[in-house]
């Protein structure tokens, strides 16, 4: 009987069905990070003003806004935090859940240009670092992401395809794959 009622509501009052789902389902925020490289294969890192003093360095990161695709979040955050223009690939290279009402998505990006203008409210410093000489105090999860995608920084896109296949094989069940 419930199924018939729900189907009726869906056919005749789609807006109502959406509102019911909105009211009854948990809401999530989406944190988005970018593995941004320059022409030399270095990674763009931010030294955050509000991050722990013991771990001040991390990737370009921020929360997605409404009506913004997640890859656009990286572009916006890079410009806001550093003044740099970046271009991202549209597909995420990592999706992490398990946090309370938060999900994390990671995208590959390339430095296009711009003038360095750090946002003084959020950023103490920013710069490009060789992936074999990362600064102390880098968030451990970001260090892991950089190393997992070192082929991206080295310009080996064939290695990227191999790494993605390996990640899918290793984590397929967690992602809901059969």
């Amino acid at each position: 009987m419930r199924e018939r009622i729900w189907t009726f509501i869906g056919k005749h009052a789609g807006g109502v069905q959406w509102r019911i789902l909105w009211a009854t389902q948990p809401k999530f925020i989406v944190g988005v990070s970018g593995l941004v490289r320059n022409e030399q294969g270095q990674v763009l890192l931010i030294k955050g003003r509000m991050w722990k003093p013991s771990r001040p360095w991390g990737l370009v990161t921020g929360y997605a806004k409404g009506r913004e695709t997640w890859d656009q979040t990286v572009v916006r955050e890079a410009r806001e935090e550093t003044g740099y223009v970046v271009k991202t690939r549209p597909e995420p290279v990592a999706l992490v859940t398990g946090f309370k009402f938060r999900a994390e998505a990671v995208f590959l990006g390339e430095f296009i240009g711009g003038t360095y203008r750090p946002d003084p409210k959020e950023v103490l410093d920013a710069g490009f670092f060789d992936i074999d000489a990362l600064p102390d105090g880098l968030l451990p999860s970001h260090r892991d992401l950089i190393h997992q995608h070192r082929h991206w920084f080295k310009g080996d896109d064939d290695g990227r395809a191999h790494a993605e296949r390996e990640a899918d094989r290793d984590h397929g069940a967690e992602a809901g794959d059969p």
Side-chain angles (χ1 to χ4, degrees):
M1 181 68 170
R2 273 192 294 185
E3 191 174 316
R4 290 170 68 189
I5 292 170
W6 193 249
T7 301
F8 176 83
I9 290 171
K11 285 182 180 177
H12 301 288
V16 172
Q17 184 182 29
W18 185 88
R19 285 180 181 84
I20 290 169
L21 287 170
W22 178 257
T24 61
Q25 298 302 307
K27 313 305 179 279
F28 291 85
I29 56 174
V30 178
V32 183
S33 297
L35 291 163
V36 178
R37 72 179 179 189
N38 63 11
E39 288 181 359
Q40 292 77 37
Q42 297 171 311
V43 62
L44 176 60
L45 296 177
I46 306 294
K47 187 174 187 181
R49 180 175 296 285
M50 294 176 268
W51 293 349
K52 291 181 180 180
S54 62
R55 295 183 312 203
W57 288 97
L59 299 169
V60 170
T61 190
Y63 290 108
K65 293 183 176 181
R67 300 177 192 247
E68 176 179 69
T69 62
W70 295 346
D71 59 308
Q72 290 172 339
T73 301
V74 175
V75 173
R76 176 182 52 78
E77 287 290 340
R79 182 176 291 276
E80 287 177 2
E81 293 176 348
T82 66
Y84 292 150
V85 176
V86 303
K87 177 182 174 186
T88 59
R89 292 191 174 189
E91 68 280 351
V93 294
L95 288 171
V96 182
T97 61
F99 307 112
K100 289 183 179 184
F101 301 112
R102 189 175 88 204
E104 301 282 338
V106 182
F107 292 83
L108 300 177
E110 297 197 52
F111 172 74
I112 301 299
T115 303
Y116 178 61
R117 284 188 308 271
D119 177 357
K121 293 177 283 180
E122 291 187 55
V123 177
L124 294 170
D125 195 7
F128 286 96
F129 292 83
D130 188 291
I131 62 169
D132 294 319
L134 298 170
D136 291 334
L138 177 60
L139 293 168
S141 61
H142 290 185
R143 184 180 300 276
D144 291 344
L145 282 166
I146 292 165
H147 286 295
Q148 288 168 10
H149 294 86
R150 67 184 300 109
H151 53 273
W152 169 249
F153 296 101
K154 300 295 184 184
D156 179 10
D157 290 341
D158 290 335
R160 173 178 177 255
H162 174 73
E164 286 176 355
R165 284 191 302 275
E166 289 296 311
D168 287 345
R169 184 180 58 79
D170 292 344
H171 301 301
E174 292 177 19
D177 293 342

